Amino acid sequence: MNAPFAELGLGPELLAELAALGYEEPTPIQKSAIPPLLEGRDLLGQAATGTGKTAAFALPLLQRVAGTKPPPLKPFVLILVPTRELAVQVSEAFHKYGKGLRATVVPIYGGQEFHRQIMGLKRGAHVVVATPGRALDHLRRGTLDLSSLQSVVLDEADEMLDMGFAEDLEAILKATPTTRQTALFSATLPPRIASIAERHLKNPARILIPRDKATKGSMPNVKQTAYIVPRAHKVAALGRVLDLESPTLALIFCRTRLEVDELAGRLAGRGYRVEALHGGMSQRERDRVMKKARGATVDLLVATDVAARGIDIDHITHVFNFDVPASPESYVHRIGRTGRAGREGAAITFASPREQRLLRNIESLTKQKILIASVPSPRDVKARRLDGTKDALRAVLTAGGLEGFRTVVDSLATEFDPLEVAAAAVRMAHEAEAGDAAQEDELDIPSTENFSKPRTFQREGYSESAPRDGARREKKSDGKPSKKKFDGGEGRPEKKTRGWDAPRGGKFAGRDSGEKQAAGAMTRIYIGAGTRMGIRPADLVGAIANEADVNPRGIGGIEIAESYSIVELPEPDVARVIKALRGATIRGRKVKVNRDLGIRK
Ligand code: AMP
């Protein structure tokens, strides 16, 4: 029985799934969103990826539609998300939570063949998770019928607007019953979102991040660093950072019991003395672990928030967040475990690119800077290890008593250069001391330069006074949604630029290309599809984000001419995007994609 979740009103099937997943307690957004959504109320929620937002709407909506067997031919729940990646993630989440309820979920997104999606829809589904463009395509083809819809969720609404989906969203909502329940989640709430909320939500429950509320309690003396690392590479990155930092005792936080057990196992496999700590363990087991930690026979404690609440150890030198915690309060609480009694401590957080926004929320609440650093390379780690060996040798040299060994050096020096002899001895000492673990993960961790530049981080910084690009432009146009989707550009009626920005005098105008260029090299690519094929900026952004898995925020200016389009991209993404788009279709057609050489046909 999972009491904290049961108190929110969730039924036994969902509680059983949550227990099996190792969730110990609801996150703040789940605590606030689940009860009103269960009641059938509309909801406006400010929440980013990583806060547990998906479960916050998936759990109550699943409970509301459960029990309909067989799955309905017209779906009851529709979740709209900006990207294919998210459609897959959200649909997997519904599947995972809804197993015991036998809920069926169909994801529909651009890039996948229609046939497969149509078959899925024909079989019937409780829940459809869709990107707006593809949902609209299905509506127009008559393969998606939203007339029985009970609930709709607009997930990451700000990102959907940024990608140019505003009109598609309106058209989709028009095809749903007015009696439906509507929930809107957005990481930021610029006026454009507020306007959508006003028009489509009825007396919504509001869950907003309070602004500028300083968190309670004083912040400890802790150096805060974050690494932006794709999830699949987090263990390798953690390994490198651990090698570099060599903590005396580190506390590593994970979200669930399962993650704690898995990570503890993997770290033990790397040779650390590790203990796991979570709410599923008996008091006796926990006491045993704590005793070991106090006695300094453990290097790493891997724990959930719930289990760590009972920890009272002074010599924790490092706190690691394997994921960004679901709320800034939890972050402050976690890092308060180190830097105690005036000691210095380090708090190190691993965030996936999508969780980066949470770091900003934390910064704005704690009013402290989190330094974004690059994951150390194997070379850095090796250099650090060599430093360790050097220190150890220095200690031996200082201690003296080497007479017995000098004879070995003397005799070898008749055959070899004495420096070579010394180097061989250092090598033996190094390998005995440090092993050759550095070679274990020569695996490349993808460069996170794009994500990790503090500049980019600040530019996207959330605060009402410095809203993101889309919002800033909204304000300029007196807060009303722009009627014209494209800005035709001065005297170039056949060319359409992405509608966020008025051209700034230069030949090429588009979304903050100047800013992006300053942040890193931008390259233009040529795509052989233009207005004649009905191409809109959203098609290009959608194709690039979905096919090449590129963060849409990184995309610069977009220019759409009659027969071609030019898109500005960060140089590191260019080859991947070209390859992906060459293998894909845009508006159902294969198109030519190249680096832009300035040649126009
Ligand atoms: P989301 O913000 O929806 O992307 O969720 C972020 C991650 O947190 C996902 O991996 C979820 O599986 C996980 N998660 C969501 N809710 C909880 C919870 N109450 N306890 C532990 N993990 C959770």
Side-chain angles (χ1 to χ4, degrees), residues 87-105:
V88 171
Q89 259 177 40
V90 169
S91 145
E92 281 172 3
F94 267 93
H95 187 73
K96 169 170 93 173
Y97 301 131
K99 254 188 225 151
L101 293 170
R102 301 190 178 284
T104 39
V105 191

Side-chain angles (χ1 to χ4, degrees), residues 331-503:
Y331 177 87
V332 172
H333 204 254
R334 286 181 180 187
I335 73 169
R337 304 282 151 172
T338 182
R340 288 194 167 182
R343 289 194 181 94
E344 276 195 13
I348 296 173
T349 303
F350 293 90
S352 67
R354 292 194 75 88
E355 289 169 342
Q356 208 171 339
R357 201 188 277 277
L358 294 182
L359 295 176
R360 279 197 309 273
N361 286 346
I362 292 168
E363 279 189 324
S364 92
L365 260 103
T366 58
K367 308 239 182 304
Q368 290 199 3
K369 193 91 203 115
I370 301 174
L371 178 81
I372 309 282
S374 297
V375 177
S377 66
R379 190 183 290 183
D380 297 335
V381 174
K382 218 167 174 175
R384 177 64 191 251
R385 283 210 172 99
L386 276 172
D387 276 350
T389 303
K390 208 157 99 188
D391 289 346
L393 284 169
R394 191 174 284 123
V396 172
L397 286 164
T398 317
L402 297 171
E403 295 73 22
F405 300 93
R406 286 191 72 122
T407 52
V408 180
V409 180
D410 282 343
S411 87
L412 282 170
T414 58
E415 270 179 81
F416 301 97
D417 175 358
L419 260 184
E420 283 289 301
V421 175
V426 172
R427 179 179 175 168
M428 279 177 71
H430 182 68
E431 285 177 3
E433 177 77 9
D436 52 1
Q439 268 109 56
E440 270 169 26
D441 65 47
E442 292 289 328
L443 264 181
D444 225 17
I445 297 178
S447 156
T448 51
E449 282 291 291
N450 271 355
F451 304 115
S452 59
K453 285 209 173 85
R455 224 193 146 292
T456 319
F457 191 58
Q458 279 156 10
R459 192 180 67 73
E460 291 186 347
Y462 167 69
S463 86
E464 287 291 313
S465 58
R468 288 202 339 264
D469 313 318
R472 191 158 53 233
R473 285 173 196 125
E474 277 305 315
K475 272 189 189 143
K476 260 192 255 162
S477 60
D478 62 294
K480 289 197 186 105
S482 122
K483 283 210 193 73
K484 242 193 342 180
K485 186 152 187 177
F486 300 114
D487 184 332
E490 297 145 347
R492 290 185 300 151
E494 84 290 8
K495 290 195 178 173
K496 296 177 173 184
T497 55
R498 198 160 162 178
W500 292 291
D501 205 356

Side-chain angles (χ1 to χ4, degrees), residues 23 36 131 177 184 209 225 231 254 303 329 344 364 382 423 426 444 448 458 462 491 494 541 561 582 597:
Y23 289 16
T131 50
L184 185 155
I209 297 173
T225 311
R231 216 188 147 72
C254 294
E329 287 75 14
E344 276 195 13
S364 92
K382 218 167 174 175
V426 172
D444 225 17
T448 51
Q458 279 156 10
Y462 167 69
E494 84 290 8
V541 175
R582 280 182 183 162
L597 303 172

